[in-house]
C-alpha cells in the first residue's frame, strides 16, 4: 500500500513536544481521529473523552535501548545499530556510516566476516544475513563485554536525519516502559505511546478505561527502504489475555496503542479470535488479506506514505479511512514521526 499524499519535509517533528515551547508536556500533541472516512481534530489530552468505560488499551511495555554504538571497520568509522538478540546469543545488527550531521546513512560495503572494533576493546563479527538476500541486517557475534553492558556504557538512542539533535534516552522511553532483567528491549521506541503521561493514564483509569500490557521488542527500521517487518520477540501474559477476551465478550473495544501492540496481540490470537498467553518469536505480518481478529481500533503515529505499516492500518480501518485520514493530516499540518502527532482509528 502506498498513499497518494506527499508529506512536506517541514512536517517532520524535529524535537519532542515538551521542547517546542515553555510549559509544554509530552501530551501537547495533536490527535487526528478517524471513524471510517469521518475525520475530526483534537488535542491528545482529549483522549479520555473519546473513549468509553469498558474500552481496553493494549500497551507495549518494551523499554527503548541506547542501541547505536560507534565503531571502526578497518580505517572507516561506522555506527552499529543493535536490533534484536537471537536465542543463540548473537544480535541482529545494521552497520551504517556517519553522515557528518550527527546522523547516519546506509553503507554499501558490508558482508560475511567483516569485523568491527567496538569501544572498550570489544569486537563484532558479521556472520550471515538475517534473511536470505538481505544485505542490511546481519547476525553478528560480539566478543568482549556483553551487549547490554556495551549499550549502557557506550550506546545512544538511534537517531534519524529528520531530528534536530541527539536526545537523552529518557526522551525515548514511554510511561509504560519496563526494563528487562536480561538487558533486551526495543531498538526503536514504541512511539505511539509517547504522548501518554501518568496524569492522563490516571484519568483514563478513573473513567473506566483498562490497560492490558504486552511486550514486543521492536527492531531497527530502515531509513531508506520500507521493508515488511521481520521476526521480533513478543510476550502476551495470561492476565492480559484474560482482559482482552473479557473486553471482547462484553461491550468494550480492544484498542491497540501502536502497531507493535497489534502485532503482539494478533500473534497470540487463535482462529476464533480468542487470545491465549504466548511468548516467543512472531513473524506475523498483518495485511488487509489476513485481517485482524482481535483489535477493533488503533492509536498510532503518522507513517511515511510508502511505509509497510500502512498495510496494518488498512487491515484495521480500511483503505478509504487511511486515505481520507492522511489527506486531512497533511492539509491540517500534523507532524510526522516519533516525536509527532498521533492518529486514532476507531470502528
Amino acid at each position: 500500500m502506498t498513499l497518494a499524499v506527499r508529506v512536506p519535509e517541514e512536517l517532520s517533528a524535529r524535537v519532542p513536544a515538551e521542547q517546542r515551547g515553555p510549559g509544554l508536556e509530552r501530551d501537547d500533541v495533536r490527535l487526528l481521529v478517524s471513524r471510517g472516512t469521518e475525520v475530526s481534530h483534537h488535542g491528545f489530552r482529549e483522549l479520555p473523552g473519546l473513549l468509553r468505560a469498558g474500552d481496553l488499551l493494549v500497551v507495549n511495555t518494551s523499554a527503548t535501548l541506547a542501541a547505536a554504538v560507534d565503531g571502526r571497520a578497518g580505517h572507516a568509522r561506522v555506527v552499529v545499530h543493535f536490533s534484536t538478540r537471537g536465542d543463540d546469543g548473537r544480535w541482529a545488527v545494521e552497520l551504517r556510516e556517519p553522515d557528518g550531521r550527527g546522523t547516519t546513512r546506509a553503507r554499501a560495503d558490508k558482508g560475511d566476516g567483516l569485523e568491527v572494533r567496538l569501544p572498550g576493546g570489544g569486537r563484532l563479527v558479521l556472520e550471515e544475513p538475517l534473511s536470505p538476500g538481505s544485505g542490511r541486517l546481519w547476525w553478528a557475534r560480539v566478543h568482549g563485554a556483553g551487549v547490554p553492558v556495551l549499550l549502557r556504557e557506550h550506546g545512544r538512542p538511534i537517531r534519524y536525519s529528520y531530528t534536530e539533535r541527539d536526545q537523552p534516552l529518557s526522551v525515548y522511553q514511554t510511561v509504560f516502559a519496563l526494563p528487562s532483567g536480561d538487558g533486551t528491549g526495543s531498538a526503536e521506541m514504541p512511539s505511539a505511546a509517547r504522548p501518554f503521561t501518568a496524569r492522563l493514564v490516571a484519568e483514563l483509569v478513573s473513567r473506566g478505561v483498562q490497560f492490558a500490557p504486552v511486550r514486543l521488542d521492536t527492531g531497527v527500521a530502515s531509513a531508506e527502504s520500507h521493508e515488511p517487518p521481520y521476526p521480533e520477540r513478543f510476550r502476551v501474559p495470561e492476565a492480559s489475555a484474560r482482559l482482552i477476551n473479557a473486553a471482547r465478550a462484553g461491550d468494550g473495544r480492544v484498542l491497540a496503542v501502536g502497531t507493535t501492540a497489534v502485532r503482539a496481540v494478533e500473534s497470540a490470537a487463535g482462529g476464533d479470535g480468542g487470545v491465549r498467553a504466548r511468548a516467543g518469536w512472531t513473524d506475523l505480518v498483518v495485511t488487509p488479506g489476513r485481517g485482524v481478529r482481535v483489535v477493533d481500533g488503533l492509536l498510532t503515529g503518522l507513517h511515511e506514505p510508502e511505509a509497510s505499516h500502512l498495510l496494518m492500518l488498512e487491515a484495521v480501518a480500511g483503505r478509504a479511512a487511511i486515505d481520507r485520514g492522511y489527506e486531512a493530516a497533511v492539509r491540517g499540518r500534523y507532524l510526522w514521526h516519533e516525536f509527532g502527532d498521533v492518529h486514532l482509528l476507531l470502528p
Side-chain angles (χ1 to χ4, degrees):
M1 176 182 183
T2 300
L3 296 176
V5 299
R6 188 187 72 83
V7 181
E9 193 177 325
E10 65 268 20
L11 296 187
S12 293
R14 303 196 182 283
V15 295
E18 62 272 23
Q19 296 178 16
R20 291 182 203 140
L24 296 180
E25 297 186 38
R26 281 180 176 231
D27 53 8
D28 282 303
V29 296
R30 298 169 70 194
L31 175 64
L32 180 75
V33 178
S34 292
R35 292 179 181 86
T37 55
E38 192 180 302
V39 173
S40 57
H41 304 273
H42 306 267
F44 188 74
R45 290 182 188 177
E46 296 175 62
L47 180 65
L50 296 165
L51 303 182
R52 58 192 188 216
D55 283 344
L56 180 69
L57 293 176
V58 182
V59 296
N60 187 359
T61 62
S62 182
T64 309
L65 300 173
V69 176
D70 293 323
R72 284 195 172 270
H75 297 295
R77 292 173 58 213
V78 297
V79 179
V80 184
H81 286 177
F82 285 86
S83 180
T84 309
R85 193 190 71 174
D87 293 333
D88 60 0
R90 296 186 300 175
W91 281 73
V93 303
E94 180 182 19
L95 293 194
R96 298 178 66 84
E97 61 186 16
D99 63 3
R101 297 173 296 179
T103 52
T104 62
R105 59 183 166 233
R107 273 172 57 91
D109 57 329
K110 48 185 178 287
D112 185 14
L114 181 68
E115 184 171 307
V116 177
R117 300 192 305 281
L118 298 170
R123 60 190 179 91
L124 172 149
V125 179
L126 299 188
E127 293 189 351
E128 60 180 327
L130 184 68
S131 55
S134 169
R136 185 174 74 86
L137 285 162
W138 287 73
W139 285 116
R141 199 168 293 280
V142 176
H143 304 271
V147 172
V149 173
L150 177 73
L151 301 188
R152 190 165 60 247
E153 294 183 355
H154 301 286
R156 61 185 180 276
I158 289 174
R159 177 187 155 208
Y160 290 116
S161 58
Y162 49 76
T163 57
E164 190 172 284
R165 56 181 175 268
D166 284 346
Q167 299 283 352
L169 185 59
S170 59
V171 164
Y172 291 89
Q173 302 296 5
T174 75
V175 72
F176 305 110
L178 295 173
S180 68
D182 61 2
T184 57
S186 287
E188 297 185 2
M189 171 176 54
S191 56
R194 191 183 189 279
F196 284 88
T197 61
R199 179 190 61 229
L200 191 72
V201 170
E203 182 180 350
L204 286 162
V205 170
S206 72
R207 288 173 177 254
V209 175
Q210 293 184 293
F211 290 83
V214 300
R215 176 169 165 165
L216 185 134
D217 292 340
T218 72
V220 295
S222 169
E224 291 79 29
S225 62
H226 296 280
E227 304 161 338
Y230 41 85
E232 293 168 315
R233 197 187 299 272
F234 82 106
R235 178 171 179 262
V236 176
E238 178 67 43
S240 294
R242 286 200 303 267
L243 283 168
I244 293 165
N245 291 331
R248 295 184 70 244
D251 297 327
R253 298 172 294 184
V254 177
L255 307 173
V257 177
T259 57
T260 60
V262 176
R263 194 181 200 197
V265 75
E266 292 288 332
S267 297
D272 59 354
V275 175
R276 296 159 184 82
R278 279 196 63 194
W281 292 86
T282 176
D283 58 3
L284 175 67
V285 179
V286 178
T287 63
R290 188 268 187 189
V292 287
R293 298 171 181 171
V294 181
V295 172
D296 299 307
L298 170 62
L299 178 74
T300 182
L302 292 163
H303 303 280
E304 294 278 12
E306 58 279 348
S308 60
H309 286 315
L310 291 169
L311 288 171
M312 179 185 288
L313 272 61
E314 184 181 349
V316 173
R319 176 66 188 252
I322 306 306
D323 284 340
R324 177 78 180 86
Y326 272 67
E327 288 165 6
V330 171
R331 196 164 53 246
R333 310 291 291 173
Y334 280 70
L335 295 179
W336 255 251
H337 302 304
E338 66 266 32
F339 298 142
D341 298 315
V342 282
H343 187 190
L344 177 61
L345 300 161
L346 290 175

